[in-house]
Amino acid sequence: MQEPVTVDRETANRELLDFVFAWPKWFFATTGLLGAVITLGLIIFLLLMIFGLQLFGYAHPVYWGFPVVNFVFWIGVSHAGIMVSAILRLAQAEWRRPVTRAAEVLTIFSLMTAMTFPIIHSGRPWRTLYWEFPYDWMRGIWPNPRSPLVWDPAAIFTYLTSTVMFVYIALLPDLALARDRVKNPIGKAVYGVLSLGFRGTTRQWRIQAIAGILLSALILPIFVSVHSIVSWDFAVTIIPGWHNTVFAPYFVIGAVHSGVSAVVTVMIVMRYAFGLKNFITKDHIDSLARLLIIVATVWLFFFMLDFMFGLYGTEPAEVDTWQRRLMEPPWTAIAIIFIITGYIIPVGLWLFRRVRRNFFLMFVTTVLVNIGMWLERYMIVIPGLERKSNLTFQYGDYLPSAAEFGIIAAQLALVIAGFLVFSKLLPIMPAADIKEGQILRDEIKVGRARVPATMREA
Amino acid sequence: MASATDTAELPVVAAAATLPTDDPHPETDGHRWGMVIDADKCTGCQACVVACQSENNLALNEENRVIERRAKTWIRIERYWEGEWPNAKARFLPVLCQHCGNAPCETVCPVWATYHNPDGLNVQVYNRCIGTRFCANACPYSVRYFNFWEPEWPSPMDRQLNPDVTVRTKGIVEKCTFCIHRINRTKRQADRDGRPVADGEVEPACVQACPTTALVFGDLNDSDSKVSELSHSKRAYSLLDSLGTAPAITYLKKVDPSHVGEEEAGH
């Protein structure tokens, strides 16, 4: 069904490393613009340090807002990395090859961005790191292991570490390739050190392959744990709308939904920006879209479970929260937009092969998914806080402030800029992996029959 | 009836079976401070609110801070209507930190800035607080307040600050302490005199200020104390009892037979 990439190895090497060695003008323009937005975010952060959280829209009793929504959102996006590279690798899905590194790099930068949110939104950011980590052995002062906010850094740092290792191991052959091809002596030295003396001997390849497979398997528990733990930030409390046992799998599948969609968006942008028409083909986007149909439908099922369990418990506060989410303005509008953009439009369109193989439509629908998923997180976090209990005197609405929008723009810019700079300095396309995929498809003639030239070991 | 306050009188057999609302923190100091609030006596005069503001160095709640819903009132009076017009009655409910036995705020704090002390109080360590505000979110009573500003008092009000109470910086969460400085002062004095703390000897500022004695404070572990006695009243209930937070505060209210079943969710 899938037409193989028909590029000879020399062209593949050249085209895949093209962007690393070239300096197109738009790169400077884009990074400059992103840098300006990030600077704006830094200024807001500085103002926050000086003036405190009065700049944000928090007010009694809603003490979490956009930053937490975004934290959940970016952690969700980061789930694409494991889904695409580990799970699809173990499932031996061949079409994953060009997608893997982009997904992992997106994971790294969205995780790093997500990690800034808890620091930005805490009342005393300069103390957060100081207290959150149990470094102070002498005084016997420890973090509270019962708090999900202590589980969070543990899960996220584990995820970040393993993803960085995963990316680095897969990167070694490509770094060696870059080392061999770069003209610039400084680049040669840097790539030389980074490639750890990778020369492509059989032993090195074997170790590299085993490490990759082992890491894929070891990383799987993290796939389940990270967003489960993020969901427990909410689920372990007794806030209506948060206090729900289905949250962990619901969040995980939602994360895969938004993460894989983000990968599709990024792949399509890369295809045009980096000139990768030979490597990111309609087949890849088609396969991802078919994966997304299943993921999105499972996610919708969990959303309905969340709703069903909310009503089934017949707990007044919980039922009220659902009524508010679905029936009361402005939440009705948000709920409608989220379900339409998060599920109905994208999945409805992805059912058609023509849409799945249309880059523009896929770009639009996957961006829509992430808008919907962001709104979904907003709908999860805020309404329960606004109507926490039957003490009606403590009802209050949340209105985000300009500073929060600025921070969010800066964080989006941070993820894009991180991705862009990575792809400028290091090969974003897994050249070795793509070539391996081609070799696996090579065929030789034995008599009249055409048989695969290589055999996959077990 | 609030089962948390029953435990002192439960027979041994019943005590062995742990009720979900039992106080999970066995106290080591012999005290378990609690309060009884008689909603039938409360006139909504706000004297407790004013007393608390000045006792605990709370900054002035100026008009726009109230409008922004960023005002801090460690104790507040909530006004509810009972019945339908023209037979409507205003009901006043003083709400302060319930010092829950199963406090939802304590488990979520990542840095132990809030914990249960041996006296059965839910205490806040300002210096450890990093301002995640998770506790303020987790509290179903919404009695935890966040400091959006450095507190300021116009002159000469800055001269009346209580030296026994910390002035809290911006960026942290604070709440009712049951006037822990008064409790500790009384306990120290009793220690020096070599006698136990007498019932009624400790009075938080709100209790002291209440003109109708709607608020009563005391040791729930002392079965002879007034607060223990009142908490076993037939009118007793806990706020949001269904959540199982085991509050140390018992509310008293006569249930009007004509309104029974009208508002199940009210408490």
Side-chain angles (χ1 to χ4, degrees), chain B residues 138-202:
Chain B
C139 175
Y141 307 98
S142 304
V143 288
R144 292 180 153 266
Y145 295 87
F146 182 69
N147 267 315
F148 286 98
W149 295 276
E150 290 290 351
E152 281 170 5
W153 288 266
S155 188
M157 293 195 72
D158 51 343
R159 307 258 176 118
Q160 59 94 50
L161 292 184
N162 185 347
D164 289 343
V165 179
T166 321
V167 172
R168 283 82 53 189
T169 177
K170 75 163 188 285
I172 63 165
V173 170
E174 56 179 56
K175 61 159 198 90
C176 161
T177 61
F178 264 176
C179 285
I180 191 169
H181 52 287
R182 291 188 178 204
I183 294 176
N184 286 340
R185 193 199 301 148
T186 316
K187 273 167 68 179
R188 281 196 301 271
Q189 187 59 47
D191 261 3
R192 277 196 290 272
D193 300 349
R195 57 172 174 85
V197 177
D199 185 33
E201 200 178 348
V202 190

Side-chain angles (χ1 to χ4, degrees), chain A residues 280-342:
Chain A
I280 300 169
T281 60
K282 290 176 176 174
D283 286 327
H284 298 114
I285 305 297
D286 188 1
S287 309
L288 280 169
R290 274 181 285 152
L291 175 71
L292 272 173
I293 292 176
I294 297 170
V295 170
T297 309
V298 176
W299 164 79
L300 188 77
F301 172 68
F302 273 101
F303 170 73
M304 287 171 171
L305 277 186
D306 186 23
F307 176 65
M308 203 274 282
F309 292 155
L311 299 193
Y312 200 68
T314 64
E315 192 190 324
E318 182 81 25
V319 177
D320 287 352
T321 306
W322 273 107
Q323 177 173 356
R324 186 166 155 73
R325 275 179 186 165
L326 301 178
M327 306 295 217
E328 287 174 30
W331 297 100
T332 315
I334 291 173
I336 291 171
I337 296 173
F338 125 73
I339 205 81
I340 287 179
T341 58

Side-chain angles (χ1 to χ4, degrees), chain B residues 59-264:
Chain B
L60 300 183
N61 290 327
E62 288 148 14
E63 188 182 354
N64 52 2
R65 299 205 173 171
V66 176
I67 293 169
E68 282 179 323
R69 287 184 294 103
R70 286 174 174 181
K72 287 179 298 178
T73 47
W74 284 6
I75 182 169
R76 59 171 190 256
I77 307 285
E78 302 195 350
R79 190 260 301 120
Y80 293 99
W81 296 110
E82 195 177 77
E84 293 289 320
W85 190 87
N87 297 319
K89 237 189 232 174
R91 283 292 194 170
F92 299 103
L93 195 67
V95 181
L96 60 159
C97 174
Q98 307 284 312
H99 294 270
C100 308
N102 282 321
C105 57
E106 285 169 15
T107 50
V108 298
C109 177
V111 295
W112 290 111
T114 180
Y115 75 105
H116 226 68
N117 86 349
D119 272 5
L121 295 179
N122 173 280
V123 293
Q124 178 82 8
V125 186
Y126 304 127
N127 208 25
R128 294 212 74 185
C129 180
I130 56 174
T132 66
R133 307 179 304 290
F134 203 171
C135 56
N137 280 342
C139 175
Y141 307 98
S142 304
V143 288
R144 292 180 153 266
Y145 295 87
F146 182 69
N147 267 315
F148 286 98
W149 295 276
E150 290 290 351
E152 281 170 5
W153 288 266
S155 188
M157 293 195 72
D158 51 343
R159 307 258 176 118
Q160 59 94 50
L161 292 184
N162 185 347
D164 289 343
V165 179
T166 321
V167 172
R168 283 82 53 189
T169 177
K170 75 163 188 285
I172 63 165
V173 170
E174 56 179 56
K175 61 159 198 90
C176 161
T177 61
F178 264 176
C179 285
I180 191 169
H181 52 287
R182 291 188 178 204
I183 294 176
N184 286 340
R185 193 199 301 148
T186 316
K187 273 167 68 179
R188 281 196 301 271
Q189 187 59 47
D191 261 3
R192 277 196 290 272
D193 300 349
R195 57 172 174 85
V197 177
D199 185 33
E201 200 178 348
V202 190
E203 273 197 329
C206 52
V207 175
Q208 196 180 18
C210 183
T212 61
T213 65
L215 310 182
V216 178
F217 184 81
D219 188 352
L220 289 170
N221 276 357
D222 175 5
S223 53
D224 297 331
S225 68
K226 199 175 172 197
V227 73
S228 296
E229 184 192 326
L230 282 172
S231 67
H232 289 89
S233 153
K234 276 182 187 153
R235 295 183 295 142
Y237 73 96
S238 306
L239 207 54
L240 305 179
D241 199 21
S242 60
L243 296 176
T245 52
I249 297 186
T250 310
Y251 286 82
L252 305 181
K253 180 177 172 288
K254 191 181 173 208
V255 178
D256 186 344
S258 63
H259 291 138
V260 168
E262 185 181 85
E263 184 64 62
E264 257 313 302

